[in-house]
Amino acid sequence: MSAGPEVAVAVRQPRRAVIERAWRRIGPGVEVLSADDGGPLSRTVKRIIDPLVLRLRANTKYSAPLVTADVAAEMHQVIVGQAATLRATAEWFDLLKRERRRLRITTGNAQELYFPVCFELAVGRGAPAHEDREAAERHLRDIHSDRDRTAIEVLNQHVGDGAVVAALSAQLVRSWRDVRAGDQITGPFLAGLSTVLGRADGHNAAAARQRVWSALVADATPYNLGAAAHRDCSTLPWSIVDLGLSSVEPQSTPSVTGGDGDRPLDRSVVDRVRATMRRAMDRDELPDVPLLCAEEVDRCCAPWGLLAEDKQATLIAGIEVSADLAPLDESAQPRHDLSGQIQARLRKEAYVLHARRYLVAGVPVHPRQQHVIDDLAAFHKPYLNRLWARLHGRDVWQEPCTDVDDVRAVLAGVARSVSLDHRQRIKSMLELQVVRTRGAGGPWG
């Protein structure tokens, strides 16, 4: 009489064992989702396999602790059938972990937070490509901004107090008044940038370039130029309006709240603090909101909206580079080796080649395409806007710009970031079928 129950037990298998056998059948490529013994991590089962692969809510038969042989076979087939997606998920998770380290994120459990996102990315986009680093960063920022939304509410409550705003406004008036330009000449600094932005063949030349940069960081020129922009722009070698850094010249006194535009030097104290909090991956490392606002008042009033001399010098170097960047003008000749390298890479971009063909052929252009063409025609503006944001972040986090090779990497990386943004906008238009083929030129690639 006991044979019946014994047979019934014999034909049922633990669901965890079924999952582990299927997982091992996938083979290499899922190591970051696996435990030391080769089976799936508990969080892999909890966050990926159960809800997204087996979809337990829709397939309740897969959720029993013990499953029949038929159900076990189905589960095995479903999991192994997702092998390619699971390998791509592992690649996305590895990419997000590397970006997490680069962005210095320490809050939240990476597996708990990122596993579902990585699976969705794998389903929608397959394995990540080299250029998907920007996508990984965007997803990380989205994840952690949602988790830290209450910090923005703290900021809103703080500046909702009239007494707080009055105190910050008084501090702003004092700080703005204290910034005065000296009378030192600017020529030597600008001449020194030719070494910083030029070639350095060999160890001795590289060492000399570093010495020049160290001297330029200590030079008063970047401070004086930024201070002059507060009151008398006639002494500047360029227009801060033409550069896209300000909507007026001389630069207007910043406000605590409000703000008259989205150009870097027009933004209010609160807008800048809010941007800092949105970008911050670990807000535990930031000062409390009152101190953060007080520091930002002084930063708003400092030359170029940056407190540290090395950031001010890097912005001037970026202005020098930006003057050479003209992706649509084949006759433009960069003055510096670094800007020449950046220019060459930009001109090879497929969307830049298509833009030049459109302009030569006189083909009608969609308004959204026209926006990208306008950016390319005045590339220095989006470039300097992005560079200023990078330097503002480094200023807040007190990350140095004293290593010349690091500075050159930042200047080149900003151009690539702007270019990737252009490519993504065009790709989105094509995916949404907003852009239609016009004339013989075809859609942008």
Side-chain angles (χ1 to χ4, degrees), residues 86-420:
L86 290 167
R87 291 191 190 99
T89 300
E91 291 187 48
W92 275 107
F93 182 64
D94 184 66
L95 177 59
L96 261 66
K97 279 205 308 179
R98 283 186 276 115
E99 286 299 293
R100 175 186 171 95
R101 287 193 294 270
R102 185 180 69 83
L103 296 169
R104 301 182 300 117
I105 305 171
T106 58
T107 57
N109 183 282
Q111 296 171 356
E112 189 76 19
L113 293 175
Y114 307 158
F115 275 1
V117 174
C118 292
F119 186 84
E120 292 169 7
L121 287 167
V123 170
R125 304 174 65 156
H130 177 72
E131 60 268 22
D132 282 326
R133 176 176 156 179
E134 294 277 333
E137 180 177 340
R138 285 197 305 273
H139 282 284
L140 286 174
R141 295 193 185 281
D142 289 344
I143 291 167
H144 288 274
S145 64
D146 285 342
R147 287 172 57 81
D148 298 329
R149 189 176 298 147
T150 54
I152 298 295
E153 294 172 6
V154 172
L155 172 64
N156 293 338
Q157 291 171 3
H158 182 64
V159 298
D161 185 333
V164 168
V165 173
L168 292 173
S169 298
Q171 178 191 344
L172 192 149
V173 170
R174 293 192 301 272
S175 296
W176 188 262
R177 186 176 57 236
D178 289 343
V179 175
R180 299 282 180 179
D183 56 5
Q184 294 92 338
I185 59 174
T186 61
F189 179 92
L190 297 176
L193 287 178
S194 62
T195 299
V196 171
L197 303 176
R199 291 175 61 90
D201 298 322
H203 173 75
N204 291 339
R209 185 164 67 185
Q210 178 61 59
R211 287 195 298 271
V212 170
W213 177 243
S214 297
L216 296 185
V217 167
D219 194 285
T221 296
Y223 181 98
N224 289 337
L225 291 174
H230 289 191
R231 293 176 176 82
D232 180 13
C233 291
S234 64
T235 59
L236 298 182
W238 359 256
S239 161
I240 59 174
V241 173
D242 290 345
L243 293 176
L245 293 173
S246 173
S247 61
V248 295
E249 50 185 6
Q251 178 189 347
S252 60
T253 306
S255 61
V256 174
T257 59
D260 299 323
D262 60 355
R263 295 186 182 182
L265 301 182
D266 295 342
R267 296 169 189 160
S268 69
V269 173
V270 173
D271 285 343
R272 297 184 198 204
V273 172
R274 188 172 287 117
T276 293
M277 298 177 80
R278 282 199 304 266
R279 290 195 299 261
M281 293 292 96
D282 186 359
R283 289 185 181 154
D284 293 339
E285 297 295 324
L286 286 174
D288 290 340
V289 166
L291 180 56
L292 195 60
C293 290
E295 288 181 352
E296 196 59 40
V297 167
D298 289 338
R299 186 173 290 108
C300 278
C301 296
W304 307 113
L306 303 167
L307 283 172
E309 292 85 352
D310 55 341
K311 315 304 184 300
Q312 296 169 4
T314 302
L315 183 65
I316 303 301
I319 292 173
E320 186 75 1
V321 167
S322 74
D324 284 349
L325 303 182
L328 296 180
D329 185 357
E330 294 188 62
S331 64
Q333 295 296 321
R335 297 160 298 157
H336 306 291
D337 176 68
L338 179 60
S339 48
Q341 294 177 35
I342 297 171
Q343 178 91 306
R345 285 194 292 268
L346 289 172
R347 287 176 176 171
K348 291 178 183 177
E349 290 283 353
Y351 78 94
V352 176
L353 295 173
H354 278 284
R356 287 211 295 265
R357 291 176 193 145
Y358 268 56
L359 294 175
V360 170
V363 176
V365 178
H366 189 279
R368 297 192 187 186
Q369 290 176 322
Q370 186 64 51
H371 186 64
V372 174
I373 290 177
D374 292 342
D375 271 2
L376 290 171
F379 194 83
H380 63 279
K381 290 185 177 181
Y383 176 87
L384 290 175
N385 195 298
R386 189 73 56 92
L387 174 61
W388 185 90
R390 294 270 176 93
L391 295 176
H392 178 265
R394 285 190 168 218
D395 207 41
V396 171
W397 290 99
Q398 299 181 15
E399 295 175 349
C401 287
T402 52
D403 182 89
V404 70
D405 292 331
D406 179 42
V407 168
R408 287 168 60 93
V410 168
L411 297 177
V414 167
R416 174 168 172 76
S417 180
V418 174
S419 182
L420 286 172

Side-chain angles (χ1 to χ4, degrees), residues 20-42:
E20 287 198 5
R21 281 199 300 272
W23 187 261
R24 295 175 195 278
R25 181 69 177 81
I26 292 172
V30 291
E31 289 80 6
V32 296
L33 308 178
S34 305
D36 291 339
D37 64 0
L41 291 165
S42 296

